[in-house]
Amino acid sequence: RALRGAARAGVQPPLRGLRASPRARSAMPSWVIDRYGRNDVLRFTRDMVFPTIDFPNEVIIKVHAASLNPIDLSMRSGYGATALNMKRDPLKLKSADTEFPLTLGRDVSGVIMECGLSVSYFKPGDEVWAAIPPWKQGTLSEFVVASGNEVSFKPKCLSHVEAASLPYVGLTAWSAVNQVGGLNRSNCSGKRVLILGASGGVGTFAVQLVKAWGAHVTAVCSHDASGLLKKLGADDVIDYKSGNLEEQLKSLPLFDFILDNVGGSTEKWALDLLKKWSGATYVTLVTPFLINMDKLGVADGMLRTGVTVGSKTVKHLFKGVHYRWAFFMPSGPSLDQIAELVNSGKIQPVIDQVFSFSEVPKAFLKLEGGHARGKTVIDVISKK
């Protein structure tokens, strides 16, 4: 972390030559899609192009484990393709459909195999974890390339399978709670936090995160997940199926912070649960940004999104509360802080089921079925 900090402060780290893997490779096993659609578009190949280091800050990771997130289901169906293709090829230098064959999967836990010339804080053989941004080739492969600033040392207390369950949901929750919501371990103690949709991957992480920082946590989930949420530290657990949720929550003291993983009609009444004129904040992870760009194109989609968030922010500011949108943001330094919490026992992985690499389509179907209590993980080096 000192070297990472030095690099960010402008201190030039010592250069180190490229470390080549033991044998030259041109292809690797991978799960890819060649078009958007349902589960039948998933295809296993042994001939996926082996990743290369194109920039001096990149590393190649041998994938030991990956996991699936709802974004993988959405991307399989083409969600966000307009925005993501713009990010992949902003100058439109390549031909159409350049994203195919596309590898899905955002989480990785594995071992560094090669390092770019300017990477000084990692070396081949280091055990690391990361969340790869959705505009890059994903982790359902034998190897994946990542920027050094997206990578962090894997928590020593976790196996690769356990570690692979955390980066994407952890960074999404971290973005919402810390970077957008402004909560941290110095100011969170005693605050009343409400988490809507608390039993999903982001929710279970967020419950543990704000609890580790000393907040009073109210979690909303279905009855069958209440035991899990209490085990993770939630002070109050509300079953949204046991009656009118809005009325149940209005009977409780007002909140300082709300994280909404549900969206929809929830947004119409949830902000009324916040303390007015006290800096209380509502953060939602359900935004129309990518949908607007898919439907309206890049320029009109960005304009529509900007108008929407701007009007909602101003409207609620006049009512004495802050309204915010949050997104996943890749960040090695944030993963460093998450790893400290994991190693200290304050955050634990929540895994629903583990599949072998040959069972990736089954894993997608499992995720598609919903009602998971934890993450769906792929053991990439499993011999099954």
Side-chain angles (χ1 to χ4, degrees):
R1 289 185 67 184
L3 283 168
R4 192 198 290 274
R8 285 196 167 78
V11 179
Q12 183 62 38
L15 294 183
R16 178 160 54 82
L18 183 69
R19 305 265 187 117
S21 51
R23 54 196 177 93
R25 298 285 297 270
S26 60
M28 63 176 178
S30 182
W31 283 94
V32 300
I33 61 173
D34 303 302
R35 67 187 191 282
Y36 296 119
R38 298 192 65 80
N39 219 41
D40 59 349
V41 301
L42 290 167
R43 174 174 67 88
F44 178 75
T45 178
R46 294 189 178 277
D47 299 315
M48 185 62 178
V49 176
F50 192 84
T52 58
I53 290 177
D54 296 322
F55 299 96
N57 69 327
E58 290 183 329
V59 299
I60 293 176
I61 302 170
K62 180 174 176 58
V63 181
H64 283 232
S67 72
L68 299 184
N69 296 278
I71 190 174
D72 295 303
L73 289 177
S74 300
M75 288 180 64
R76 187 197 63 187
S77 302
Y79 168 77
T82 300
L84 295 176
N85 283 337
M86 183 184 71
K87 180 68 175 178
R88 292 174 182 125
D89 188 20
L91 300 180
K92 299 187 181 300
L93 299 176
K94 300 177 183 178
S95 61
D97 294 335
T98 54
E99 71 265 40
F100 301 120
L102 178 65
T103 304
L104 301 176
R106 310 270 53 95
D107 293 297
V108 58
S109 182
V111 176
I112 297 281
M113 298 301 291
E114 302 179 13
C115 295
L117 291 172
S118 67
V119 176
S120 58
Y121 32 84
F122 300 112
K123 65 182 185 302
D126 285 342
E127 294 190 334
V128 296
W129 64 346
I132 309 298
W135 54 87
K136 295 186 178 182
Q137 288 287 14
T139 61
L140 297 178
S141 278
E142 186 180 14
F143 295 89
V144 68
V145 67
S147 298
N149 58 9
E150 297 164 354
V151 179
S152 171
F153 290 108
K154 177 182 75 66
K156 296 183 184 299
C157 64
L158 298 184
S159 68
H160 285 294
V161 166
E162 292 170 329
S165 70
L166 285 173
Y168 187 84
V169 295
L171 288 172
T172 302
W174 190 273
S175 166
V177 172
N178 177 260
Q179 294 171 295
V180 175
L183 297 183
N184 56 57
R185 59 185 171 189
S186 299
N187 66 11
C188 199
S189 181
K191 281 189 166 58
R192 289 184 52 79
V193 173
L194 171 65
I195 299 178
L196 300 165
S199 63
V202 174
T204 54
F205 187 96
V207 167
Q208 296 181 84
L209 177 62
V210 295
K211 191 62 187 175
W213 288 344
H216 179 283
V217 183
T218 300
V220 174
C221 62
S222 61
H223 175 72
D224 62 332
S226 61
L228 169 64
L229 271 301
K230 289 177 181 176
K231 180 181 177 183
L232 296 177
D235 298 283
D236 297 320
V237 178
I238 307 296
D239 176 9
Y240 67 87
K241 295 181 179 179
S242 65
N244 185 298
L245 177 59
E246 180 180 356
E247 294 304 318
Q248 289 186 77
L249 291 172
K250 281 184 175 178
S251 68
L252 301 175
L254 294 174
F255 295 94
D256 299 285
F257 182 88
I258 297 175
L259 173 61
D260 187 354
N261 297 292
V262 178
S265 61
T266 306
E267 188 175 300
K268 296 177 181 178
W269 50 262
L271 285 101
D272 293 331
L273 304 172
L274 289 169
K275 298 175 182 176
K276 306 297 188 288
W277 308 107
S278 66
T281 303
Y282 166 93
V283 177
T284 178
L285 291 167
V286 184
T287 73
F289 177 66
L290 294 181
I291 293 176
N292 282 346
M293 292 185 73
D294 284 342
K295 287 183 176 179
L296 304 174
V298 174
D300 288 345
M302 292 180 70
L303 179 61
R304 172 75 63 83
T305 303
V307 169
T308 300
V309 70
S311 61
K312 288 186 176 183
T313 299
V314 172
K315 170 187 172 183
H316 292 295
L317 196 58
F318 278 115
K319 294 181 178 180
V321 296
H322 297 285
Y323 176 96
R324 300 282 188 269
W325 286 352
F327 305 87
F328 158 78
M329 288 188 277
S331 172
S334 294
L335 278 177
D336 290 345
Q337 295 184 68
I338 292 171
E340 290 180 9
L341 290 166
V342 173
N343 281 323
S344 66
K346 294 179 179 177
I347 290 179
Q348 57 183 288
V350 182
I351 297 174
D352 185 76
Q353 191 169 347
V354 180
F355 292 85
S356 69
F357 195 46
S358 64
E359 297 175 316
V360 164
K362 290 183 181 179
F364 269 86
L365 289 176
K366 167 70 176 178
L367 184 63
E368 203 164 12
H371 305 293
R373 296 295 173 253
K375 292 294 295 294
T376 300
V377 180
I378 312 296
D379 186 350
V380 174
I381 62 172
S382 169
K383 301 301 181 183
K384 287 198 297 181

